[in-house]
Amino acid sequence: MKKLLNLNFRTQLVIQYLGVAVLAIVLFSFLMLNRSSGIIKEMETNYLTQIVNSRKNEIREHLEEYVEDMQFITTTKNFREAVQLLNDYHANSGLIIDGPLDTESKYYKLISDQLFPYFNGILENWSYYDVMLICKNHGRILYSPKGEDDMGTSLLHGPYKNTNLAECWQKVMSSGKVQMTDFSFYPP
């Protein structure tokens, strides 16, 4: 400190100006770093938002295609005949409202064999895992080309009443429109 005091006034003044300049540069650098990190975070957020919106639009378009597929399928003669066959079987099967549909009878198996080529073609052509025909009044799964454990069960009273499929069926029944639910594990 004594050496600093022994310097002439001009040198002391230069050192003080340099100290103030270095301090200003450090402070300015800190402020710019802080501001630039905020800008970078904002840019990252905007970029991620764009990606999310793009993916959301892709998913929406894909789902709209599914809806269009289903709307087309339901207008075909084969589909209408399948629904009529299954509704007739369901109406004449004498089942209890909350009981399962008999999917083991000879008559049901004949219907199922008749419907399989058409509905299996839908699975293959459109790359769907499964297609189900569900009774609108009871939520009973009348037909599925996969024929898993849910066949004939009621989405209203049966073992699958707490699944997303049951929730989706109830939404369709209350709105009369195509509905979707979140993906979740479906047991069969």
Side-chain angles (χ1 to χ4, degrees):
M1 184 77 169
K2 278 186 178 184
K3 285 186 180 183
L4 188 59
L5 292 176
N6 289 339
L7 297 174
N8 67 19
F9 179 73
R10 186 180 205 183
T11 306
Q12 286 180 4
L13 195 58
V14 168
I15 291 174
Q16 287 176 356
Y17 280 132
L18 282 175
V20 168
V22 167
L23 183 62
I25 290 171
V26 168
L27 184 61
F28 180 76
S29 297
F30 175 75
L31 291 173
M32 287 294 102
L33 178 65
N34 202 10
R35 179 167 165 76
S36 65
S37 68
I39 291 171
I40 290 171
K41 284 181 184 177
E42 184 179 335
M43 288 172 61
E44 287 174 345
T45 302
N46 290 340
Y47 178 69
L48 291 174
T49 301
Q50 287 176 345
I51 290 174
V52 166
N53 288 335
S54 173
R55 296 290 187 243
K56 204 169 24 173
N57 288 336
E58 286 176 21
I59 291 170
R60 183 177 293 118
E61 289 170 5
H62 203 60
L63 292 175
E64 287 171 359
E65 286 177 23
Y66 284 140
V67 169
E68 289 172 6
D69 290 349
M70 289 300 109
Q71 288 172 337
F72 172 75
I73 289 168
T74 60
T75 64
T76 64
K77 180 181 176 189
N78 287 344
F79 181 84
R80 289 191 312 269
E81 288 173 355
V83 168
Q84 187 60 50
L85 277 170
L86 291 166
N87 281 338
D88 290 347
Y89 178 77
H90 181 254
N92 297 316
S93 65
L95 58 90
I96 302 168
I97 295 289
D98 58 351
L101 183 69
D102 182 7
T103 57
E104 299 299 320
S105 75
K106 283 185 179 183
Y107 185 58
Y108 184 85
K109 288 194 183 292
L110 283 172
I111 294 171
S112 180
D113 290 345
Q114 183 179 345
L115 301 180
F116 183 78
Y118 174 70
F119 284 100
N120 194 56
I122 290 171
L123 300 185
E124 290 176 1
N125 290 332
W126 278 295
S127 301
Y128 293 150
Y129 172 75
D130 202 0
V131 175
M132 296 178 183
L133 298 181
I134 302 172
C135 168
K136 86 175 183 183
N137 296 325
H138 308 107
R140 195 164 284 105
I141 299 172
L142 300 176
Y143 180 76
S144 157
K146 290 289 183 187
E148 296 180 322
D149 291 341
D150 54 358
M151 280 290 297
T153 62
S154 169
L155 296 175
L156 190 58
H157 303 288
Y160 303 104
K161 67 183 176 189
N162 295 320
T163 63
N164 279 11
L165 179 59
E167 177 187 337
C168 189
W169 168 74
Q170 289 172 346
K171 285 181 177 181
V172 168
M173 291 302 95
S174 64
S175 72
K177 297 179 181 176
V178 173
Q179 297 290 323
M180 296 187 194
T181 57
D182 289 337
F183 287 100
S184 71
F185 175 71
Y186 184 69

